Amino acid sequence: MAGLGHSWNGNDTFTNGFIAILAVALAAEVSSVSLHVGGSDFSIAFIPYLAAAFLFPPVWAMALGGVAVFIVEFLVRRKPWVKVVFNTSKEILALGLACAVFQFLGGEPSVEGPFRLHAVAVFGAGVAYALANSTAVCFAVSLAERIDFKEAITQMYGGAVLYDLFATPIPALLAYLYVQYHLKGVVFLSVPLFVVRHIYAQNLKLEQANRELLELMVKQVELVEPYTSGHSKRVAQYARVLAKEAGLHGKHVDQIATAALLHDVGKVYEEYAPLLRKEQKLTPEERSLLESHPVRSAELVTTISSLRGPVELAVRHHHENYDGTGYPSKLAGERIPIGARIIMIADTLDAMTTDRPYRNALPFDRVVEELRRYAGRQFDPHLADIAVRSPTIRRLLGDVGVQKVGLAVSLSRKDLLRKERAAV
């Protein structure tokens, strides 16, 4: 601690470095981008935090992270005290662990120079920091939402931890630039980082605007067929869980969830409205027309260029059966895009577990029975097994069951045939 005080009071390099890295950390925290999935944030604040672990003695690195998080959480975001304390403590703990691992593996604080690159120590610190943060967040989520720790990890993280690990050299570069060039080095790296963050934020806003337009189209479908209200969002929720538990990560999971949200958007076309409202049995020609909706949905989705490819294909083929008896292309097995196979199960889960005019929602045990019975025929057997074993799916279906109690009472018997066709 004596050396600590000497470093602060007696060396402008240390003082200026602490202030400069703290300023970058504050700016990064304030400018974090809110993501539409789960309300999480994308932030580059880990870069100055880990740089502090490479530059300063552990106590000072922990102090820098704690001060930055406390100021932003309390004064800027105005979060409740319990969240302020948790997030501040989490950052201090993660930085303390990162510093300990860094020094244990041979790294040394280098704010007063020279900077010595210890690749193993740098990577080890990144691993420790990422794991400490993710473990703390998942533990808090599991307590707050009363879910298993494993389930919390599935919900919160795809490839995010790996991203942090692969980005570990950037904090090391920031530390090196400060040692070599002082404040000019910090500016040299920070400016392009914030430019990239700004570009990312603008792209995210554009994607969000596009998504909101598509959700508006989904709501329009629900106006044509009110019984399906909330159906697409629930299917997207189930599909996201299944995709994660099937071992898919990051962008692929998001693509499948988006496709699930939009899988029936083609029903917005006026040609389908009479079929959805018709009370009598559909003729073969009418049924053939209704079965064209996956293709029309896919065509509509491709009007947004970013959705062409996996999203489009998942929408187009979500009614393909695993044994090749589905439509529109009679694909079978692995030839069916995995997104479409996931949506097929998610779509069926919602159909079976929401009330219908002619029956109540099926209990989960009956759902399991049906999924197993048609595994290998209608459903991908591996994905069906994931669905029946998933505690997250079981919990989500239970929540929907509570919300949908009594819905059948509000619908007349004459709606029966067109409600059945809504699931086609």
Side-chain angles (χ1 to χ4, degrees), residues 146-307:
R146 298 180 181 179
I147 58 178
D148 293 336
F149 181 76
K150 182 179 178 181
E151 183 179 343
I153 293 176
T154 300
Q155 289 186 16
M156 295 297 296
Y157 293 97
V161 174
L162 288 177
Y163 167 79
D164 287 346
L165 296 182
F166 283 114
T168 300
I170 300 178
L173 178 60
L174 179 59
Y176 168 78
L177 289 174
Y178 178 74
V179 171
Q180 291 295 113
Y181 305 106
H182 304 296
L183 297 181
K184 291 185 292 184
V186 174
V187 173
F188 180 79
L189 181 61
S190 298
V191 169
L193 279 176
F194 281 100
V195 169
V196 170
R197 190 219 65 85
H198 177 73
I199 294 173
Y200 176 85
Q202 295 306 309
N203 288 337
L204 192 64
K205 288 179 181 178
L206 181 60
E207 290 178 8
Q208 182 69 12
N210 288 337
R211 186 180 181 88
E212 288 170 355
L213 288 174
L214 292 171
E215 288 180 354
L216 183 62
M217 294 169 65
V218 171
K219 290 179 181 178
Q220 184 64 34
V221 173
E222 292 177 352
L223 290 177
V224 175
E225 190 51 49
Y227 188 81
T228 62
S229 178
H231 167 72
S232 294
K233 285 191 174 182
R234 291 193 299 272
V235 172
Q237 191 176 26
Y238 304 151
R240 180 178 293 278
V241 172
L242 288 174
K244 284 187 175 182
E245 296 192 2
L248 306 179
H249 294 288
K251 187 176 181 180
H252 202 178
V253 173
D254 289 339
Q255 289 172 335
I256 291 171
T258 299
L261 178 69
L262 304 175
H263 72 285
D264 277 342
V265 73
K267 289 181 180 177
V268 73
Y269 288 109
E270 184 60 30
E271 64 204 63
Y272 297 113
L275 307 182
L276 296 173
R277 296 191 179 104
K278 186 177 179 181
E279 298 174 17
Q280 295 79 29
K281 184 177 180 179
L282 293 180
T283 66
E285 292 78 13
E286 289 172 331
R287 187 163 189 85
S288 177
L289 174 59
L290 190 57
E291 289 181 354
S292 70
H293 83 268
V295 174
R296 300 301 302 277
S297 296
E299 291 172 350
L300 202 52
V301 163
T302 58
T303 60
I304 295 179
S305 60
S306 63
L307 300 183

Side-chain angles (χ1 to χ4, degrees), residues 21-32 43-45 48 68 72 194 197:
I21 300 300
L22 177 61
V24 174
L26 288 169
E29 285 284 2
V30 170
S31 63
S32 62
S43 175
I44 57 174
V72 174
F194 281 100
R197 190 219 65 85

Side-chain angles (χ1 to χ4, degrees), residues 51-217:
F54 304 148
L55 286 171
F56 308 116
V59 173
W60 284 110
M62 295 162 67
L64 185 147
V67 168
V69 172
F70 179 84
I71 289 175
V72 174
E73 294 286 279
F74 180 63
L75 297 179
V76 179
R77 295 174 183 150
R78 299 184 179 278
K79 289 188 176 181
W81 268 108
V82 64
K83 291 187 177 181
V84 173
V85 172
F86 172 78
N87 288 329
T88 302
S89 302
K90 171 182 67 67
E91 196 61 47
I92 292 173
L93 175 64
L95 280 171
L97 185 60
C99 288
V101 171
F102 178 66
Q103 294 189 22
F104 176 78
L105 295 176
E108 298 177 358
S110 55
V111 68
E112 298 174 0
F115 182 85
R116 297 183 179 88
L117 178 62
H118 296 272
V120 174
V122 166
F123 183 76
V127 171
Y129 179 83
L131 290 180
N133 261 303
S134 59
T135 301
V137 170
C138 290
F139 180 71
V141 169
S142 68
L143 290 179
E145 299 188 8
R146 298 180 181 179
I147 58 178
D148 293 336
F149 181 76
K150 182 179 178 181
E151 183 179 343
I153 293 176
T154 300
Q155 289 186 16
M156 295 297 296
Y157 293 97
V161 174
L162 288 177
Y163 167 79
D164 287 346
L165 296 182
F166 283 114
T168 300
I170 300 178
L173 178 60
L174 179 59
Y176 168 78
L177 289 174
Y178 178 74
V179 171
Q180 291 295 113
Y181 305 106
H182 304 296
L183 297 181
K184 291 185 292 184
V186 174
V187 173
F188 180 79
L189 181 61
S190 298
V191 169
L193 279 176
F194 281 100
V195 169
V196 170
R197 190 219 65 85
H198 177 73
I199 294 173
Y200 176 85
Q202 295 306 309
N203 288 337
L204 192 64
K205 288 179 181 178
L206 181 60
E207 290 178 8
Q208 182 69 12
N210 288 337
R211 186 180 181 88
E212 288 170 355
L213 288 174
L214 292 171
E215 288 180 354
L216 183 62
M217 294 169 65

Side-chain angles (χ1 to χ4, degrees), residues 290-367:
L290 190 57
E291 289 181 354
S292 70
H293 83 268
V295 174
R296 300 301 302 277
S297 296
E299 291 172 350
L300 202 52
V301 163
T302 58
T303 60
I304 295 179
S305 60
S306 63
L307 300 183
R308 295 169 189 166
V311 174
E312 169 199 356
L313 292 175
V315 171
R316 181 181 297 271
H317 297 294
H318 74 273
H319 273 296
E320 305 282 4
N321 291 333
Y322 197 75
D323 63 2
T325 61
Y327 59 89
S329 303
K330 296 191 180 300
L331 300 180
E334 300 294 320
R335 292 184 61 200
I336 305 171
I338 189 170
R341 284 178 270 149
I342 287 173
I343 294 172
M344 164 66 81
I345 293 177
D347 194 13
T348 304
L349 283 173
D350 190 64
M352 288 193 292
T353 56
T354 50
D355 291 334
R356 301 287 160 151
Y358 50 91
R359 63 156 173 78
N360 292 327
L362 299 180
F364 189 75
D365 289 345
R366 179 70 184 280
V367 172

Side-chain angles (χ1 to χ4, degrees), residues 349 352 362-374 384 387-389 394 397:
L349 283 173
M352 288 193 292
L362 299 180
F364 189 75
D365 289 345
R366 179 70 184 280
V367 172
V368 169
E369 179 184 329
E370 293 296 310
L371 287 175
R372 287 177 171 161
R373 176 184 300 173
Y374 291 98
V388 301
R389 294 176 183 275
R394 182 184 291 268
L397 293 179

